[in-house]
Amino acid sequence: MTDVVIVGAGVVGLTSALRLQQAGARVLVLTADDPADTVSRVAAAVWYPTHTDGSARMLERAHRTFDEYADQAARGVPGVVMRPTRMLLRAPAPADPWWAPATRDFTADRDVPAPYTGRWRFTVPGVEMGPYLEWLAERLVAGGGRLARRRLARLADVADLAPVVVNASGLGARTLAADPAVHPARGRIVVVANPGLHVSVRDEDDPAGITYVHPRSRDVVLGGTFEPDAYDTGPDDAASAAIVARCTALVPELAGAPVLARLAGLRPARHGGPRVQADPVGLPGGVRLVHNYGHGGAGMTLAWGCADEVVSLVSGPGAAA
């Protein structure tokens, strides 16, 4: 008695499942790993459409997702807050980036000290992914959905379970969807105790590497790296030390903050951007297949907007009765 099977239980898979459930579908989420063990759990998870194009479609996805998180923050959803953010610029840039219309208080100014040339100020959703993924899974089950552990070799292996399959397998889509455009983009972060910070700060043009400081309720996420085609998630003391040094130079209040964790995750990137579309071939037995993967480091930022697209694709022309 399942209408849709979702493959993948990261933030993209779970939001797709909930949107489909809200639309009346009976859903089953299959995951190779517990949601707490997915790459979503490692994410710094501050809304920002990093490494995405500025198309109207991407803006719509980001805008819908922003609005959903803002509503959730107002309702006290676990782990979701609206976070003041500052982006420091080192080179001339447009006053308003393409994603600014999705925010509600974006301003730009040039009254900043060297080596910076400007600063963007805005407030965006920040999500602590541990409690948030738990909340998503609990909502799924409370609404009658099911969550099960199963590692797949082929998407065709679940074609007998439902008339529709949604592939939200992230990096696994390289194999499951036979998509060579999918590749990892390793991200390293350091988590330190929070000395009292509440504003996120970014300096993505730092010549020494991407630099960001994202406070959370009890700690601060320091980053980071974006390393395409790097698979090793083992410790790298030199990389971690460099991250701490860059972030402390940016936010001196971090000096001496105890290090709580050094983490690395593989962002599910894709050449050409996210793939959110119905597969023209489908699966054996006439089962419809809808893809939703390849979001790279913007999964949290695009998740709810892409989930809305998935609902339209599942219920659109050719949908199962």
Side-chain angles (χ1 to χ4, degrees), residues 10-94:
V11 68
V12 170
L14 289 176
T15 52
S16 296
L18 284 173
R19 278 292 192 254
L20 287 163
Q21 189 175 73
Q22 290 165 357
R26 295 165 294 185
V27 300
L28 165 64
V29 176
L30 297 178
T31 176
D33 303 298
D34 187 89
D37 296 325
T38 62
V39 70
S40 293
R41 178 65 176 81
V42 183
V46 174
W47 184 99
Y48 190 78
T50 182
H51 292 272
T52 56
D53 65 64
S55 65
R57 187 182 186 192
M58 200 68 71
L59 177 58
E60 177 70 11
R61 293 166 172 169
H63 203 160
R64 284 178 174 267
T65 304
F66 185 107
D67 288 347
E68 178 65 26
Y69 287 132
D71 177 67
Q72 291 176 1
R75 292 189 285 117
V77 168
V80 185
V81 299
M82 298 302 291
R83 180 73 61 191
T85 304
R86 306 291 181 261
M87 168 71 86
L88 294 166
L89 309 175
R90 291 175 180 257

Side-chain angles (χ1 to χ4, degrees), residues 289-309:
L289 174 61
V290 172
H291 297 290
N292 186 17
Y293 65 83
H295 303 76
M300 170 269 187
T301 301
L302 304 174
W304 288 103
C306 288
D308 289 337
E309 289 185 37

Side-chain angles (χ1 to χ4, degrees), residues 88 192-201 213 215 220 222 244-258:
L88 294 166
V192 301
N194 193 337
L197 304 177
H198 70 281
V199 176
S200 286
V201 184
V213 175
V220 185
L222 310 182
V244 172
R246 294 199 307 271
C247 291
T248 302
L250 182 63
V251 181
E253 294 92 333
L254 289 167

